[in-house]
Amino acid sequence: MSSLAPMEGADSLAKKDGNAVPRHVAIIMDGNGRWAEQRGLPRAAGHKAGAEAVRRALQAAADAGVEVLTIYAFSSENWRRSDEEISDLTALMRFYLERELKTLEKERVRLKLIGDYSAFGGELVGRLERAVERTAGNTRLTLVIALNYGSRAEIAGAARRLAEKVVAGEMLPSDIDEKAIESELQTKEFPPLDLLIRTSGEVRLSNFLLWQAAYAELLFLDVLWPDFDEKTFEGALERYAARQRRFGGR
């Protein structure tokens, strides 16, 4: 990740309206494979180009004053891909952890993880957890990486933990409400999700932040993820700022 230098135009967007900039943005990063295919390149090249797009999105989010950026890096369904592609993805993850950790620390970016990332094995899990620990005190922006994440499994896990509390006599069934469920979700420490972006022209959520997206603004872009840049992100924020959020009230 290059140094998070100010992006022209971002400050004016943030100051234009106190509600113009979403506190929490999530991205379904789709289109790496198609990007590579269009260029006659292996899928690994698409994933590498996609990793560079993450750097640009992080740059733009920090410049605009976004508090939390959550990216869907590896879904629980991605294990259905070929062994070669999974190996490429994990190798790329390891490479960027090594290369970018110092920059995250320098630029005050906190790293957090959601999902059952233990499935990636002890060596990579150790690297991930050390990166989380080393950046824990950073406050400029929180980068949340969803690894081996599935929203249905997350909600089921929350329900299971609440049921265990009922059985243990720690709460009554009548105590289980939306607030109780949210308190058991992996995103409980983050602001509510304001904007969810999906690239590549696909129009679905793919088991990503289903509960959290209940009142988020959804934005589906035709751009393939490796082509996502600061200007694309700024355009997404402008479209978000132009919307009226009613939360079902009118």
Side-chain angles (χ1 to χ4, degrees):
M1 184 174 65
S2 59
S3 179
L4 300 182
M7 181 177 68
E8 184 179 355
D11 288 341
S12 61
L13 176 64
K15 294 174 182 177
K16 181 177 65 176
D17 182 338
N19 297 319
V21 177
R23 296 180 65 196
H24 186 174
V25 177
I27 305 178
I28 301 173
M29 308 177 296
D30 196 15
N32 291 348
R34 274 170 283 173
W35 185 91
E37 184 178 345
Q38 289 175 3
R39 290 159 177 77
L41 299 171
R43 290 180 68 88
H47 293 312
K48 185 174 182 180
E52 296 299 321
V54 172
R55 300 168 70 192
R56 295 192 294 269
L58 186 58
Q59 166 87 57
D63 291 342
V66 172
E67 295 178 29
V68 177
L69 177 66
T70 299
I71 58 173
Y72 205 7
F74 195 97
S75 77
S76 53
E77 289 78 21
N78 283 159
W79 294 108
R80 301 171 188 167
R81 297 185 180 187
S82 69
D83 291 343
E84 180 182 4
E85 185 170 1
I86 291 171
S87 177
D88 288 339
L89 283 167
T90 53
L92 190 62
M93 197 186 315
R94 187 179 293 106
F95 170 76
Y96 276 96
L97 269 176
E98 292 177 355
R99 195 179 85 169
E100 308 298 350
L101 182 55
K102 288 184 179 179
T103 303
L104 293 178
E105 291 181 299
K106 178 183 176 183
E107 301 298 341
R108 296 179 288 116
V109 175
R110 179 176 68 146
L111 180 65
K112 298 291 286 186
L113 306 171
I114 60 174
D116 182 15
Y117 59 90
S118 65
F120 289 99
E123 190 269 339
L124 183 52
V125 166
R127 290 174 182 266
L128 289 166
E129 292 182 343
R130 284 192 294 274
V132 169
E133 184 176 325
R134 284 177 58 177
T135 62
N138 296 340
T139 58
R140 185 182 183 192
L141 171 73
T142 297
L143 173 64
V144 183
I145 302 180
L147 292 170
N148 193 28
Y149 172 86
S151 189
R152 288 179 174 178
E154 179 189 26
I155 295 169
R160 185 167 52 251
R161 287 187 291 276
L162 290 172
E164 290 169 351
K165 290 182 179 180
V166 170
V167 171
E170 298 174 12
M171 64 187 307
L172 298 172
S174 58
D175 294 330
I176 299 176
D177 55 13
E178 292 182 14
K179 187 176 180 180
I181 293 172
E182 287 175 352
S183 71
E184 295 292 341
L185 296 178
Q186 297 177 47
T187 55
K188 61 186 176 184
E189 67 178 283
F190 310 128
L193 180 62
D194 294 312
L195 174 63
L196 191 152
I197 301 168
R198 181 173 186 143
T199 59
S200 87
E202 301 293 343
V203 185
R204 58 179 178 271
L205 297 183
S206 296
N207 199 20
F208 183 54
L209 299 180
L210 301 180
W211 178 282
Q212 296 85 343
Y215 280 103
E217 296 296 315
L218 307 182
L219 183 58
F220 299 98
L221 303 176
D222 288 332
V223 64
L224 298 176
W225 177 246
D227 293 325
F228 192 98
D229 58 17
E230 290 92 338
K231 184 168 288 188
T232 311
F233 192 91
E234 186 176 358
L237 295 192
E238 289 173 350
R239 292 172 67 175
Y240 169 86
R243 295 185 179 181
Q244 293 185 348
R245 305 189 72 195
R246 299 185 178 90
F247 299 97
R250 56 189 171 92

